[in-house]
Amino acid sequence: MLHDFQKLLTSFEGYGLTQDQDNPYMVTLEIESLPVYVCYLEESDLVLVQCAVGVFPEGGDAASRERLLSYLLYGNNLFSLTSGATLGYDPERLLFTLQIAWPLANLVQGDAFENFIFNFLETAGSWMALLRNAESMRLPEAAQTSMPEHLMLRV
């Protein structure tokens, strides 16, 4: 399967592809000055993609931070604003990240991997723009009160 993963990467050779020295399953793509980390998880046969989408604001008041974090959680909930990816936080680098894992088998046909990467980057770009303007983030009114009943878990 490592061979299939490495074969996928050939379409990105012109994008500053860097192989991790310690891990043959990990590469970094440099796409429009944005480092995109791509890793093959052999045990689960998944391809994991991650990039930074913003920096945690050091200044500001507690209410602004709460609004920002609430919006991030809202967007992450049921993948409503992440196109199937997941938002995360890297406390060592104080960065918000976007990541997605996808089965390798679904990425080996034709342009599937290239489309996957560029769709991921489109979502990442949307989050970068939102986080640059974090002060203007507001939850929709409906999201501030309750979740739609059709989305609630029934036991």
Side-chain angles (χ1 to χ4, degrees):
M1 292 299 177
L2 177 60
H3 174 71
D4 288 340
F5 175 66
Q6 290 172 332
K7 197 166 118 178
L8 286 180
L9 298 173
T10 59
S11 60
F12 285 93
E13 287 176 346
Y15 288 95
L17 185 127
T18 306
Q19 179 77 48
D20 187 288
Q21 297 297 323
D22 301 321
N23 183 351
Y25 299 101
M26 176 82 171
V27 298
T28 304
L29 304 173
E30 190 82 24
I31 301 176
E32 295 183 21
S33 301
L34 176 67
V36 179
Y37 304 99
V38 182
C39 183
Y40 174 59
L41 307 172
E42 187 174 30
E43 288 181 17
S44 56
D45 201 31
L46 294 172
V47 174
L48 177 67
V49 179
Q50 182 192 55
C51 71
V53 292
V55 178
F56 189 81
E58 291 186 37
D61 57 33
S64 295
R65 284 195 196 138
E66 181 179 343
R67 194 170 44 252
L68 169 65
L69 295 173
S70 293
Y71 194 86
L72 289 165
L73 287 170
Y74 166 74
N76 215 30
N77 187 42
L78 300 173
F79 310 108
S80 62
L81 298 176
T82 60
S83 301
T86 302
L87 291 163
Y89 178 66
D90 180 343
E92 290 180 18
R93 300 182 298 160
L94 301 176
L95 292 175
F96 293 113
T97 60
L98 185 72
Q99 51 272 324
I100 190 166
W102 211 256
L104 177 64
N106 294 359
L107 299 173
V108 295
Q109 300 299 320
D111 295 336
F113 182 64
E114 195 170 343
N115 292 335
F116 172 73
I117 293 293
F118 286 114
N119 288 338
F120 173 80
L121 289 174
E122 185 175 323
T123 302
S126 295
W127 277 101
M128 287 177 198
L130 280 168
L131 290 168
R132 273 193 298 271
N133 300 306
E135 288 299 316
S136 64
M137 286 183 173
R138 298 284 184 268
L139 291 176
E141 289 300 318
Q144 294 177 8
T145 57
S146 66
M147 180 182 280
E149 189 173 319
H150 72 278
L151 295 177
M152 291 184 181
L153 180 65
R154 292 186 179 92
V155 182

